[in-house]
Amino acid sequence: MPRTKKPKPDSNEVNPNSPKQVATLLYETLGMPAQFAVDKKTKKKKITTGKSAIKALKKRDKSGVIQALEDYRKADKEIAEYGDSLLDPDGRMHTKYSQTVTDTGRLSSRKTDDDTGTDQQNLREEFRKIVIPDPGMVLVEGDLRQAEARIFY
């Protein structure tokens, strides 16, 4: 599923996933100094819009385009890494909890037996905020880091 719509040829829109369009915007439209990298295959210098180029241009950018591009790339990477892979075919997140996997007896989370679902205990904080329970249900988060296991007899 594409994350950005394809710009119309006659528009001023730029697809941030297109190095060619980003290079045109930065180096031609905004007049920033071109950044070069050595192509690993041909061993020749070529214009780049990679991470190092963006970092070098950031100090010169007064328009905010570089910051917007960095923000987009970070969000796009996190969505690809976490967001797209978290949902099962039914559009929900699933996990399997176990108390017998860890040496300490703490509750652990892992993918379900059919390898769908997600290890929810390792979700980044930003993604925990977007998990919404079904109507009439509540989401409970427990912090057992300070809990001590005790045996009474």
Side-chain angles (χ1 to χ4, degrees):
M1 174 170 74
R3 289 188 191 84
T4 60
K5 63 181 180 176
K6 195 170 186 173
K8 296 174 186 168
D10 59 341
S11 75
N12 290 332
E13 293 180 37
V14 174
N15 178 352
N17 293 323
S18 168
K20 186 175 182 178
Q21 289 182 22
V22 171
T24 300
L25 171 70
L26 297 178
Y27 305 135
E28 293 176 22
T29 307
L30 297 177
M32 293 185 176
Q35 302 294 308
F36 295 91
V38 176
D39 187 312
K40 292 179 182 179
K41 293 178 185 176
T42 63
K43 306 290 184 204
K44 294 180 180 178
K45 277 187 175 182
K46 69 176 201 172
I47 289 180
T48 183
T49 59
K51 201 174 193 176
S52 61
I54 298 302
K55 186 177 179 181
L57 294 171
K58 189 172 184 176
K59 296 173 187 165
R60 299 173 186 232
D61 180 37
K62 305 291 184 224
S63 65
V65 170
I66 297 294
Q67 186 62 51
L69 184 61
E70 284 183 323
D71 292 346
Y72 173 84
R73 286 180 174 178
K74 180 180 177 188
D76 190 55
K77 180 180 178 183
E78 289 184 349
I79 288 169
E81 188 174 329
Y82 295 102
D84 291 345
S85 64
L86 293 179
L87 299 179
D88 282 347
D90 64 357
R92 301 176 61 111
M93 289 174 53
H94 297 276
T95 191
K96 185 172 186 175
Y97 293 101
S98 176
Q99 195 171 9
T100 60
V101 175
T102 64
D103 293 336
T104 61
R106 291 183 179 171
L107 196 63
S108 68
S109 167
R110 64 181 178 86
K111 287 190 172 212
T112 53
D113 291 333
D114 59 356
D115 207 31
T116 61
T118 181
D119 175 357
Q120 292 180 0
Q121 69 190 16
N122 293 324
L123 279 179
R124 292 182 55 160
E125 188 67 30
E126 297 87 20
F127 288 96
R128 289 185 187 181
K129 293 176 184 175
I130 63 171
V131 176
I132 301 169
D134 286 337
M137 305 299 282
V138 295
L139 185 65
V140 178
E141 180 179 345
D143 181 357
L144 302 175
R145 287 179 281 194
Q146 299 298 319
E148 294 181 23
R150 297 174 189 242
I151 299 174
F152 295 98
Y153 58 99

